[in-house]
Every structure is written in structure tokens, then in C-alpha cells.
Coordinates of all heavy atoms in Angstrom, one line a residue:
M1 N 61.8 61.4 -30.1 CA 61.2 61.6 -28.7 C 61.1 63.1 -28.5 O 61.9 63.9 -29.0 CB 62.1 60.9 -27.7 CG 61.5 61.0 -26.3 SD 62.6 60.2 -25.1 CE 62.0 58.6 -25.0
G2 N 60.2 63.5 -27.7 CA 60.0 64.9 -27.4 C 58.6 65.2 -27.2 O 57.7 64.4 -27.2
F3 N 58.3 66.5 -26.9 CA 57.0 67.0 -26.6 C 56.5 67.7 -27.8 O 56.9 68.8 -28.0 CB 57.1 67.8 -25.3 CG 55.7 68.2 -24.7 CD1 55.0 67.2 -24.1 CD2 55.2 69.4 -24.8 CE1 53.7 67.5 -23.6 CE2 54.0 69.7 -24.2 CZ 53.2 68.8 -23.6
D4 N 55.5 67.2 -28.5 CA 55.0 67.8 -29.7 C 53.5 68.0 -29.6 O 52.8 67.1 -29.9 CB 55.4 66.9 -30.9 CG 55.1 67.6 -32.2 OD1 55.0 68.9 -32.2 OD2 54.9 66.9 -33.2
V5 N 53.1 69.1 -29.2 CA 51.7 69.4 -29.0 C 51.4 70.6 -30.0 O 52.0 71.6 -29.9 CB 51.3 69.8 -27.6 CG1 49.9 70.1 -27.5 CG2 51.7 68.7 -26.6
K6 N 50.4 70.4 -30.8 CA 50.0 71.4 -31.8 C 48.5 71.6 -31.9 O 47.7 70.7 -31.5 CB 50.5 71.0 -33.2 CG 52.0 70.9 -33.3 CD 52.4 70.5 -34.7 CE 53.9 70.3 -34.8 NZ 54.3 69.5 -35.9
G7 N 48.1 72.8 -32.3 CA 46.8 73.1 -32.7 C 45.7 72.7 -31.7 O 45.7 73.1 -30.5
R8 N 44.9 71.8 -32.1 CA 43.7 71.3 -31.3 C 44.2 70.6 -30.1 O 43.5 70.8 -29.0 CB 42.8 70.4 -32.2 CG 41.5 70.2 -31.6 CD 40.7 69.3 -32.5 NE 39.5 68.8 -31.8 CZ 38.3 69.2 -32.1 NH1 38.1 70.0 -33.2 NH2 37.3 68.8 -31.4
D9 N 45.3 69.9 -30.1 CA 45.7 69.2 -28.9 C 46.1 70.2 -27.8 O 45.9 70.0 -26.6 CB 47.0 68.4 -29.2 CG 46.7 67.2 -30.0 OD1 45.5 66.8 -30.1 OD2 47.6 66.6 -30.6
L10 N 46.7 71.3 -28.3 CA 47.1 72.4 -27.3 C 45.9 72.9 -26.6 O 45.9 73.2 -25.4 CB 47.8 73.5 -28.1 CG 48.5 74.5 -27.2 CD1 49.5 73.9 -26.3 CD2 49.2 75.6 -28.1
V11 N 44.7 73.1 -27.3 CA 43.5 73.6 -26.7 C 43.0 72.7 -25.5 O 42.5 73.2 -24.5 CB 42.4 73.8 -27.7 CG1 41.1 74.1 -27.1 CG2 42.8 74.8 -28.8
T12 N 43.3 71.4 -25.6 CA 42.8 70.5 -24.5 C 43.6 70.7 -23.2 O 43.1 70.4 -22.2 CB 43.0 69.0 -25.0 OG1 44.4 68.8 -25.1 CG2 42.2 68.7 -26.2
Y13 N 44.7 71.3 -23.3 CA 45.5 71.6 -22.1 C 45.1 72.9 -21.4 O 45.6 73.1 -20.3 CB 47.0 71.6 -22.4 CG 47.6 70.2 -22.7 CD1 47.7 69.8 -24.0 CD2 47.9 69.4 -21.7 CE1 48.2 68.5 -24.3 CE2 48.3 68.1 -21.9 CZ 48.5 67.7 -23.2 OH 49.0 66.4 -23.5
I14 N 44.4 73.7 -22.1 CA 44.1 75.1 -21.5 C 43.4 74.9 -20.1 O 43.7 75.6 -19.2 CB 43.3 75.9 -22.5 CG1 44.2 76.4 -23.6 CG2 42.7 77.1 -21.8 CD1 43.6 77.1 -24.7
P15 N 42.3 74.1 -20.0 CA 41.7 74.0 -18.7 C 42.6 73.5 -17.6 O 42.6 74.0 -16.5 CB 40.5 72.9 -18.9 CG 40.3 73.0 -20.4 CD 41.6 73.3 -21.0
L16 N 43.5 72.5 -17.9 CA 44.4 72.0 -16.9 C 45.4 73.1 -16.5 O 45.6 73.4 -15.3 CB 45.2 70.8 -17.5 CG 46.3 70.3 -16.6 CD1 45.7 69.7 -15.3 CD2 47.1 69.3 -17.3
V17 N 46.0 73.8 -17.5 CA 47.0 74.9 -17.2 C 46.3 76.0 -16.4 O 46.8 76.5 -15.4 CB 47.6 75.4 -18.4 CG1 48.5 76.6 -18.2 CG2 48.5 74.3 -19.1
T18 N 45.1 76.3 -16.8 CA 44.3 77.4 -16.1 C 44.0 77.0 -14.6 O 44.2 77.8 -13.7 CB 43.0 77.7 -16.8 OG1 43.3 78.1 -18.1 CG2 42.3 78.9 -16.2
S19 N 43.6 75.7 -14.4 CA 43.3 75.3 -13.1 C 44.5 75.2 -12.2 O 44.5 75.7 -11.0 CB 42.7 73.8 -13.2 OG 41.5 73.9 -13.9
V20 N 45.6 74.8 -12.7 CA 46.9 74.7 -11.9 C 47.3 76.2 -11.6 O 47.7 76.4 -10.4 CB 48.0 74.0 -12.7 CG1 49.3 74.1 -12.0 CG2 47.6 72.5 -12.8
G21 N 47.2 77.1 -12.5 CA 47.6 78.5 -12.3 C 46.7 79.1 -11.2 O 47.2 79.8 -10.3
L22 N 45.4 78.8 -11.4 CA 44.5 79.4 -10.4 C 44.7 78.8 -9.0 O 44.7 79.6 -8.0 CB 43.0 79.1 -10.9 CG 41.9 79.7 -10.0 CD1 42.0 81.3 -10.0 CD2 40.6 79.3 -10.5
A23 N 44.9 77.5 -8.9 CA 45.2 76.9 -7.6 C 46.5 77.5 -7.0 O 46.5 77.8 -5.8 CB 45.3 75.4 -7.8
A24 N 47.5 77.7 -7.8 CA 48.8 78.2 -7.3 C 48.5 79.7 -6.8 O 49.1 80.1 -5.7 CB 49.8 78.2 -8.4
Y25 N 47.7 80.4 -7.5 CA 47.4 81.8 -7.1 C 46.7 81.8 -5.8 O 47.0 82.6 -4.9 CB 46.6 82.5 -8.2 CG 46.2 83.9 -7.8 CD1 47.1 84.9 -7.9 CD2 44.9 84.1 -7.4 CE1 46.7 86.2 -7.5 CE2 44.5 85.4 -7.0 CZ 45.4 86.4 -7.1 OH 45.0 87.7 -6.7
V26 N 45.7 80.9 -5.6 CA 44.9 80.9 -4.4 C 45.8 80.5 -3.2 O 45.7 81.1 -2.1 CB 43.7 79.9 -4.5 CG1 43.1 79.7 -3.2 CG2 42.7 80.5 -5.5
V27 N 46.7 79.5 -3.4 CA 47.6 79.1 -2.3 C 48.5 80.2 -2.0 O 48.8 80.5 -0.8 CB 48.3 77.8 -2.7 CG1 49.5 77.5 -1.7 CG2 47.4 76.6 -2.8
W28 N 49.0 80.9 -3.0 CA 50.0 82.0 -2.7 C 49.3 83.1 -1.9 O 49.9 83.7 -1.0 CB 50.6 82.5 -4.0 CG 51.5 83.7 -3.7 CD1 51.3 85.0 -4.0 CD2 52.8 83.7 -3.0 NE1 52.3 85.8 -3.5 CE2 53.2 85.0 -2.9 CE3 53.5 82.6 -2.5 CZ2 54.4 85.3 -2.3 CZ3 54.7 83.0 -1.9 CH2 55.2 84.3 -1.8
Q29 N 48.1 83.5 -2.3 CA 47.3 84.5 -1.6 C 47.1 84.2 -0.2 O 47.1 85.0 0.7 CB 46.0 84.8 -2.3 CG 46.1 85.5 -3.7 CD 46.8 86.9 -3.5 OE1 46.3 87.7 -2.7 NE2 47.8 87.1 -4.2
A30 N 46.8 82.9 0.1 CA 46.5 82.4 1.4 C 47.8 82.3 2.3 O 47.8 82.7 3.5 CB 45.8 81.1 1.4
L31 N 48.9 81.8 1.7 CA 50.1 81.5 2.5 C 51.2 82.4 2.2 O 52.1 82.6 3.1 CB 50.5 80.1 2.3 CG 49.5 79.0 2.6 CD1 50.0 77.6 2.2 CD2 49.1 79.0 4.1
G32 N 51.3 82.9 1.0 CA 52.5 83.7 0.6 C 52.9 84.8 1.6 O 54.1 84.8 2.0
P33 N 52.0 85.6 2.0 CA 52.4 86.7 2.9 C 52.9 86.2 4.2 O 53.7 86.9 4.9 CB 51.2 87.6 3.1 CG 50.3 87.2 1.9 CD 50.6 85.8 1.6
K34 N 52.5 85.0 4.7 CA 52.9 84.5 6.0 C 54.2 83.8 5.9 O 54.9 83.7 6.9 CB 51.8 83.6 6.5 CG 50.5 84.4 6.8 CD 49.5 83.4 7.3 CE 48.2 84.2 7.4 NZ 47.1 83.6 6.8
I35 N 54.6 83.3 4.8 CA 55.8 82.5 4.6 C 57.0 83.5 4.6 O 57.0 84.5 3.9 CB 55.8 81.7 3.3 CG1 54.8 80.6 3.3 CG2 57.2 81.1 3.0 CD1 54.6 79.9 2.0
G36 N 58.0 83.2 5.4 CA 59.1 84.1 5.5 C 59.1 85.3 6.4 O 60.0 86.0 6.4
L37 N 58.0 85.4 7.2 CA 58.0 86.5 8.2 C 59.0 86.2 9.2 O 59.1 85.1 9.8 CB 56.6 86.5 8.8 CG 55.5 87.2 8.1 CD1 54.2 87.2 9.0 CD2 55.8 88.6 7.7
V38 N 59.8 87.2 9.5 CA 60.8 87.1 10.6 C 60.1 87.3 11.9 O 60.3 86.6 12.9 CB 61.9 88.2 10.4 CG1 62.8 88.3 11.6 CG2 62.7 87.9 9.2
N39 N 59.2 88.3 12.0 CA 58.5 88.6 13.2 C 57.1 88.0 13.2 O 56.2 88.4 12.5 CB 58.3 90.1 13.3 CG 57.5 90.6 14.5 OD1 57.2 89.7 15.4 ND2 57.3 91.8 14.6
P40 N 56.9 86.9 14.0 CA 55.6 86.2 14.0 C 54.5 87.0 14.8 O 53.3 86.9 14.5 CB 55.9 84.9 14.6 CG 57.0 85.1 15.5 CD 57.9 86.2 14.8
N41 N 54.9 87.7 15.9 CA 53.8 88.3 16.7 C 54.2 89.5 17.6 O 53.5 89.8 18.5 CB 53.2 87.2 17.6 CG 54.2 86.5 18.4 OD1 55.3 87.0 18.6 ND2 53.9 85.3 18.8
I42 N 55.3 90.1 17.4 CA 55.8 91.2 18.3 C 55.3 92.5 17.7 O 55.6 92.9 16.6 CB 57.3 91.2 18.5 CG1 57.7 89.9 19.3 CG2 57.7 92.4 19.3 CD1 59.2 89.7 19.4
E43 N 54.5 93.3 18.5 CA 54.0 94.6 18.1 C 53.5 94.7 16.7 O 53.9 95.5 15.9 CB 55.1 95.6 18.3 CG 55.6 95.8 19.8 CD 56.6 96.9 20.0 OE1 56.4 98.0 19.5 OE2 57.7 96.6 20.6
K44 N 52.6 93.8 16.3 CA 52.1 93.7 15.0 C 51.2 94.9 14.6 O 50.8 95.1 13.5 CB 51.4 92.4 14.7 CG 52.3 91.2 14.8 CD 53.5 91.3 13.9 CE 53.3 90.6 12.6 NZ 54.6 90.6 11.8
N45 N 50.9 95.7 15.6 CA 50.1 96.9 15.4 C 50.9 98.1 14.9 O 50.3 99.2 14.7 CB 49.3 97.2 16.6 CG 50.2 97.5 17.8 OD1 51.3 97.0 17.9 ND2 49.8 98.4 18.7
V46 N 52.2 98.1 14.8 CA 53.0 99.2 14.4 C 53.6 98.9 13.0 O 53.8 97.7 12.6 CB 54.1 99.5 15.4 CG1 53.5 99.9 16.8 CG2 55.1 98.4 15.6
E47 N 54.0 100.0 12.3 CA 54.5 99.8 11.0 C 55.9 99.1 11.0 O 56.2 98.3 10.2 CB 54.6 101.2 10.3 CG 55.1 101.1 8.9 CD 55.1 102.4 8.2 OE1 54.4 103.3 8.6 OE2 55.9 102.6 7.2
R48 N 56.7 99.5 12.0 CA 58.0 98.8 12.2 C 58.4 98.8 13.6 O 58.1 99.8 14.3 CB 59.1 99.4 11.3 CG 59.7 100.8 11.8 CD 60.7 101.3 10.8 NE 60.3 101.5 9.5 CZ 59.5 102.5 9.0 NH1 59.3 103.5 9.9 NH2 59.2 102.6 7.8
V49 N 59.0 97.7 14.1 CA 59.3 97.6 15.5 C 60.7 98.2 15.6 O 61.7 97.8 15.0 CB 59.4 96.1 15.9 CG1 59.8 96.0 17.4 CG2 58.0 95.5 15.7
V50 N 60.8 99.2 16.5 CA 62.1 99.9 16.8 C 62.2 100.0 18.3 O 61.3 100.4 19.0 CB 62.2 101.3 16.2 CG1 63.5 102.0 16.5 CG2 62.0 101.2 14.7
N51 N 63.3 99.6 18.8 CA 63.6 99.6 20.3 C 64.8 100.5 20.5 O 65.8 100.3 19.8 CB 63.8 98.2 20.9 CG 62.6 97.3 20.6 OD1 62.6 96.5 19.7 ND2 61.5 97.6 21.3
T52 N 64.8 101.3 21.5 CA 66.0 102.1 21.9 C 66.2 101.8 23.4 O 65.4 101.5 24.2 CB 65.7 103.6 21.7 OG1 64.6 104.0 22.5 CG2 65.5 103.9 20.2
M53 N 67.5 102.0 23.7 CA 67.9 101.8 25.1 C 69.2 102.6 25.4 O 70.0 102.8 24.5 CB 68.3 100.3 25.3 CG 68.7 99.9 26.7 SD 69.1 98.1 26.8 CE 67.5 97.5 26.9
D54 N 69.2 103.3 26.5 CA 70.4 104.0 26.9 C 71.6 103.1 27.2 O 71.4 102.1 27.9 CB 70.1 104.9 28.1 CG 69.2 106.1 27.8 OD1 69.1 106.5 26.6 OD2 68.5 106.5 28.7
I55 N 72.7 103.5 26.7 CA 73.9 102.7 26.9 C 74.2 102.5 28.4 O 74.6 101.5 28.9 CB 75.1 103.3 26.2 CG1 75.0 103.1 24.7 CG2 76.4 102.7 26.7 CD1 76.0 103.8 23.8
E56 N 73.9 103.6 29.1 CA 74.2 103.6 30.6 C 73.3 102.5 31.3 O 73.6 102.1 32.4 CB 73.9 105.0 31.2 CG 74.9 106.0 30.8 CD 74.6 106.6 29.4 OE1 73.5 106.4 28.9 OE2 75.5 107.1 28.8
D57 N 72.2 102.1 30.7 CA 71.3 101.2 31.3 C 71.7 99.7 31.1 O 71.0 98.8 31.6 CB 69.8 101.4 30.9 CG 69.3 102.7 31.3 OD1 69.8 103.3 32.3 OD2 68.3 103.2 30.7
I58 N 72.7 99.5 30.2 CA 73.0 98.1 29.9 C 73.7 97.4 31.0 O 73.6 96.2 31.1 CB 73.9 98.2 28.6 CG1 73.0 98.5 27.4 CG2 74.6 96.8 28.3 CD1 73.7 98.6 26.1
G59 N 74.5 98.0 31.8 CA 75.2 97.3 32.9 C 76.4 96.6 32.3 O 77.1 97.1 31.4
E60 N 76.8 95.5 32.9 CA 78.0 94.8 32.5 C 77.8 93.9 31.2 O 78.7 93.8 30.4 CB 78.5 93.8 33.6 CG 79.0 94.6 34.9 CD 80.1 95.5 34.5 OE1 81.1 95.1 33.8 OE2 80.1 96.7 34.9
S61 N 76.6 93.4 31.0 CA 76.3 92.6 29.8 C 74.8 92.6 29.6 O 74.0 92.8 30.5 CB 76.9 91.2 30.0 OG 76.1 90.5 31.0
I62 N 74.5 92.3 28.3 CA 73.1 92.2 27.9 C 73.0 91.3 26.7 O 73.9 91.3 25.9 CB 72.5 93.6 27.7 CG1 71.0 93.6 27.6 CG2 73.1 94.2 26.4 CD1 70.3 95.0 27.8
S63 N 71.9 90.6 26.5 CA 71.7 89.8 25.3 C 70.4 90.2 24.6 O 69.3 90.2 25.2 CB 71.5 88.3 25.7 OG 72.7 87.9 26.3
F64 N 70.5 90.6 23.4 CA 69.4 91.0 22.6 C 68.9 89.9 21.7 O 69.7 89.1 21.1 CB 69.8 92.2 21.7 CG 70.0 93.5 22.4 CD1 71.3 93.9 22.6 CD2 69.0 94.2 22.9 CE1 71.6 95.0 23.3 CE2 69.2 95.4 23.6 CZ 70.5 95.8 23.8
C65 N 67.6 89.7 21.7 CA 66.9 88.7 20.9 C 67.1 88.9 19.4 O 66.8 90.0 18.9 CB 65.4 88.6 21.3 SG 64.5 87.4 20.3
R66 N 67.4 87.9 18.7 CA 67.5 88.0 17.2 C 66.5 86.9 16.6 O 66.5 86.8 15.3 CB 68.9 87.7 16.7 CG 69.8 88.8 17.1 CD 71.1 88.8 16.4 NE 71.8 87.5 16.7 CZ 73.0 87.2 16.1 NH1 73.6 88.0 15.3 NH2 73.6 86.1 16.4
C67 N 65.8 86.2 17.4 CA 64.9 85.2 16.8 C 63.4 85.7 16.8 O 62.6 85.1 16.2 CB 64.9 83.9 17.6 SG 64.1 83.9 19.2
W68 N 63.2 86.8 17.4 CA 61.8 87.4 17.5 C 60.8 86.5 18.2 O 59.6 86.6 17.9 CB 61.3 87.8 16.1 CG 62.1 88.9 15.5 CD1 63.3 88.8 14.9 CD2 61.7 90.3 15.5 NE1 63.7 90.1 14.5 CE2 62.8 91.0 14.8 CE3 60.6 91.0 15.9 CZ2 62.7 92.4 14.6 CZ3 60.6 92.4 15.7 CH2 61.6 93.0 15.1
R69 N 61.2 85.7 19.1 CA 60.3 84.8 19.8 C 60.3 85.1 21.3 O 59.5 84.5 22.1 CB 60.7 83.3 19.6 CG 60.0 82.6 18.4 CD 60.5 83.1 17.2 NE 59.8 82.5 16.0 CZ 60.0 82.9 14.8 NH1 60.9 83.9 14.5 NH2 59.4 82.3 13.8
S70 N 61.2 86.0 21.8 CA 61.3 86.3 23.2 C 60.1 87.0 23.7 O 59.5 87.9 23.1 CB 62.5 87.2 23.4 OG 62.6 87.5 24.8
K71 N 59.7 86.5 24.9 CA 58.5 87.2 25.7 C 59.0 88.5 26.3 O 58.2 89.3 26.7 CB 58.0 86.3 26.8 CG 57.6 84.9 26.3 CD 56.2 84.9 25.7 CE 55.7 83.5 25.4 NZ 56.4 82.9 24.2
K72 N 60.4 88.7 26.3 CA 60.9 89.9 26.9 C 61.6 90.8 25.8 O 62.5 91.6 26.1 CB 62.0 89.6 27.9 CG 61.4 88.9 29.1 CD 62.4 88.3 30.1 CE 63.8 88.9 30.2 NZ 64.7 88.2 31.1
F73 N 61.2 90.6 24.5 CA 61.7 91.3 23.4 C 61.9 92.8 23.7 O 60.9 93.4 24.3 CB 60.9 91.1 22.2 CG 61.6 91.5 20.9 CD1 62.4 90.6 20.2 CD2 61.5 92.8 20.4 CE1 63.0 91.0 19.1 CE2 62.1 93.2 19.3 CZ 62.9 92.3 18.6
P74 N 63.0 93.5 23.5 CA 64.1 93.0 22.6 C 65.2 92.2 23.3 O 66.2 91.9 22.7 CB 64.7 94.4 22.1 CG 64.4 95.3 23.3 CD 63.1 94.9 23.9
L75 N 64.9 91.9 24.6 CA 65.9 91.1 25.3 C 65.7 89.6 25.1 O 64.5 89.1 24.9 CB 65.9 91.4 26.8 CG 66.1 92.9 27.1 CD1 66.0 93.1 28.6 CD2 67.4 93.4 26.6
C76 N 66.7 88.8 25.1 CA 66.7 87.4 24.9 C 66.1 86.7 26.2 O 66.6 87.1 27.3 CB 68.0 86.8 24.6 SG 68.1 85.0 24.6
D77 N 65.2 85.8 26.1 CA 64.7 85.0 27.2 C 65.0 83.5 27.1 O 64.5 82.7 27.8 CB 63.3 85.3 27.5 CG 62.3 84.7 26.5 OD1 62.8 84.2 25.5 OD2 61.1 84.8 26.7
G78 N 65.7 83.2 26.0 CA 66.1 81.8 25.8 C 65.1 81.1 24.9 O 65.2 79.9 24.6
S79 N 64.0 81.8 24.4 CA 63.0 81.2 23.5 C 63.6 80.7 22.2 O 63.1 79.8 21.5 CB 61.9 82.2 23.2 OG 61.2 82.5 24.4
H80 N 64.8 81.2 21.9 CA 65.5 80.7 20.6 C 65.8 79.2 20.7 O 65.8 78.6 19.6 CB 66.7 81.5 20.3 CG 67.8 81.5 21.4 ND1 67.8 82.4 22.4 CD2 68.7 80.5 21.6 CE1 68.8 82.0 23.2 NE2 69.4 80.9 22.8
N81 N 66.0 78.7 21.9 CA 66.2 77.2 22.0 C 65.1 76.4 21.5 O 65.2 75.4 20.8 CB 66.6 76.9 23.4 CG 67.9 77.5 23.8 OD1 68.9 77.3 23.2 ND2 67.9 78.2 25.0
T82 N 63.8 76.8 21.9 CA 62.6 76.1 21.5 C 62.4 76.2 20.0 O 62.1 75.3 19.3 CB 61.4 76.6 22.3 OG1 61.6 76.5 23.7 CG2 60.1 75.9 21.9
H83 N 62.6 77.5 19.5 CA 62.5 77.7 18.1 C 63.4 76.9 17.3 O 63.1 76.3 16.3 CB 62.7 79.2 17.8 CG 62.9 79.5 16.4 ND1 61.8 79.6 15.5 CD2 64.0 79.8 15.7 CE1 62.3 79.9 14.3 NE2 63.6 80.0 14.4
N84 N 64.7 76.8 17.7 CA 65.7 76.1 17.0 C 65.4 74.6 17.0 O 65.5 73.9 16.0 CB 67.1 76.3 17.6 CG 67.6 77.7 17.3 OD1 67.1 78.3 16.4 ND2 68.6 78.1 18.0
K85 N 64.9 74.0 18.1 CA 64.6 72.6 18.2 C 63.4 72.3 17.3 O 63.3 71.3 16.6 CB 64.2 72.2 19.6 CG 65.4 71.9 20.5 CD 65.0 71.5 21.9 CE 66.2 71.5 22.7 NZ 65.9 71.8 24.1
K86 N 62.4 73.2 17.3 CA 61.2 73.0 16.5 C 61.4 73.1 15.0 O 60.9 72.4 14.2 CB 60.1 74.1 16.8 CG 58.8 73.5 17.3 CD 57.7 74.4 17.5 CE 57.9 75.7 18.1 NZ 56.7 76.5 18.4
T87 N 62.3 74.0 14.6 CA 62.5 74.3 13.1 C 63.8 73.8 12.5 O 63.9 73.8 11.3 CB 62.4 75.8 12.9 OG1 63.5 76.4 13.6 CG2 61.1 76.4 13.4
G88 N 64.8 73.5 13.3 CA 66.1 73.2 12.8 C 66.9 74.4 12.5 O 68.0 74.3 11.9
D89 N 66.4 75.5 12.9 CA 67.1 76.8 12.8 C 68.3 76.9 13.7 O 68.5 76.0 14.5 CB 66.2 78.0 13.0 CG 66.5 79.2 12.2 OD1 67.6 79.3 11.7 OD2 65.6 80.1 12.1
N90 N 69.1 77.9 13.6 CA 70.3 78.0 14.5 C 70.5 79.4 15.0 O 71.6 79.8 15.2 CB 71.5 77.5 13.8 CG 71.9 78.4 12.6 OD1 71.1 79.2 12.2 ND2 73.1 78.2 12.0
V91 N 69.4 80.1 15.3 CA 69.6 81.5 15.7 C 69.9 81.6 17.2 O 69.6 80.7 18.0 CB 68.3 82.3 15.4 CG1 68.1 82.5 13.9 CG2 67.1 81.7 16.0
G92 N 70.5 82.7 17.6 CA 70.8 83.0 18.9 C 70.9 84.5 19.2 O 70.7 85.2 18.2
P93 N 71.1 84.9 20.4 CA 71.1 86.3 20.7 C 72.4 87.0 20.3 O 73.4 86.4 20.0 CB 71.0 86.3 22.3 CG 71.7 85.0 22.7 CD 71.4 84.0 21.6
M94 N 72.2 88.4 20.3 CA 73.4 89.3 20.2 C 73.8 89.6 21.6 O 73.0 90.3 22.3 CB 73.0 90.5 19.4 CG 74.0 91.6 19.4 SD 75.5 91.1 18.6 CE 76.2 92.7 18.3
C95 N 75.0 89.2 22.0 CA 75.4 89.5 23.4 C 76.5 90.6 23.4 O 77.4 90.5 22.7 CB 76.0 88.2 24.0 SG 74.9 86.8 24.0
L96 N 76.2 91.6 24.3 CA 77.1 92.7 24.4 C 77.7 92.6 25.9 O 76.9 92.3 26.8 CB 76.4 94.0 24.3 CG 75.8 94.4 22.9 CD1 75.2 95.7 23.0 CD2 76.8 94.3 21.8
K97 N 79.0 92.8 26.0 CA 79.5 92.9 27.3 C 80.6 94.0 27.4 O 81.3 94.3 26.4 CB 80.1 91.6 27.8 CG 81.3 91.1 27.1 CD 81.7 89.7 27.7 CE 83.0 89.3 27.1 NZ 83.5 88.0 27.6
R98 N 80.7 94.6 28.5 CA 81.6 95.7 28.8 C 83.0 95.2 29.0 O 83.2 94.2 29.7 CB 81.1 96.5 30.0 CG 81.4 98.0 30.0 CD 80.8 98.7 31.2 NE 79.3 98.9 31.0 CZ 78.9 99.9 30.3 NH1 79.7 100.8 29.7 NH2 77.6 100.1 30.1
N99 N 84.0 95.9 28.3 CA 85.4 95.5 28.6 C 85.7 95.9 30.0 O 85.3 97.0 30.5 CB 86.3 96.3 27.6 CG 86.3 95.6 26.2 OD1 86.1 94.4 26.1 ND2 86.6 96.3 25.2
K100 N 86.5 95.1 30.6 CA 87.0 95.5 32.0 C 88.4 96.1 32.0 O 89.1 95.9 31.1 CB 86.9 94.2 32.9 CG 85.5 93.8 33.0 CD 85.4 92.6 34.0 CE 83.9 92.3 34.1 NZ 83.6 91.3 35.0
Ligands
FES201 S1 65.0 84.5 22.7 FE1 65.4 85.3 20.7 S2 67.5 85.1 20.6 FE2 67.1 84.4 22.5

């Protein structure tokens, strides 16, 4: 038992292997760059999204978005709940609070 392909038989597989490889390449070109994106749509016109905030402006507490779905990014607006329900993910905000 085993896989024994030689000579002329091997040539018959070339179109199949080429077709599968080409199809995989086309699918990867179409979907590959989109799969695994953390940021789906925030400030896509810049090279990298960077936000700054003065510590004095934070107040007693603040929640920063880590799911990249907030309409108030970089602040959390609760959109992670919808994202988690839709995808089965478990992301949530980074919450900072001042010690009293
Ligand atoms: S909306 Fe993104 S973590 Fe809450």
C-alpha cells in the first residue's frame, strides 16, 4: 500500500496541481490581506493610528477601546459587546481609574 506515481503518470497530475495552486494564489490575493486585520475601519487614511491624551484630562476613570470597533475610538462605547456576540471573541476595554 502506498502512493507510487512515476514518470508519465506524474505528468498527468501537473494540470491539477497547477490549477489548485493558481486557485489558492487567487483566493489569497483577494482575501489574504483582509484576514486578520485588527483595525477594520478607523483612520484608514493614515500609516498608523496613534492617539494621545493628557493625563490631566482623564478625570476619575476612563475606558479605552481595544476592539477597534468603537464609534468614539480611542474610547470604548460598548461596541465590543456586539463584536463579541457576532464573532465569539472576548475582547473588552482597558479601564483606568484613579486611586483615591
Ligand atoms: S468598544 Fe472597543 S473595547 Fe469597548
Side-chain angles (χ1 to χ4, degrees):
M1 188 180 265
F3 191 69
D4 187 25
V5 180
K6 294 178 184 160
R8 193 179 169 111
D9 290 343
L10 190 59
V11 172
T12 63
Y13 288 98
I14 289 174
L16 174 66
V17 171
T18 303
S19 299
V20 170
L22 184 61
Y25 176 77
V26 168
V27 168
W28 177 253
Q29 287 298 308
L31 302 176
K34 295 177 186 133
I35 294 171
L37 281 183
V38 172
N39 176 8
N41 55 21
I42 295 172
E43 296 184 52
K44 296 307 261 185
N45 58 330
V46 299
E47 185 176 333
R48 75 182 57 81
V49 179
V50 177
N51 302 104
T52 59
M53 181 178 279
D54 288 335
I55 289 174
E56 292 78 19
D57 294 339
I58 288 178
E60 292 303 309
S61 66
I62 194 165
S63 297
F64 291 102
C65 176
R66 294 193 300 178
C67 74
W68 290 81
R69 270 70 182 173
S70 175
K71 305 276 185 293
K72 295 170 25 182
F73 194 89
L75 303 178
C76 173
D77 71 353
S79 295
H80 58 269
N81 292 309
T82 303
H83 166 75
N84 288 342
K85 280 183 191 148
K86 237 190 319 192
T87 64
D89 210 342
N90 65 347
V91 294
M94 167 67 163
C95 302
L96 298 179
K97 67 179 184 180
R98 208 173 282 280
N99 281 335
K100 295 187 178 181

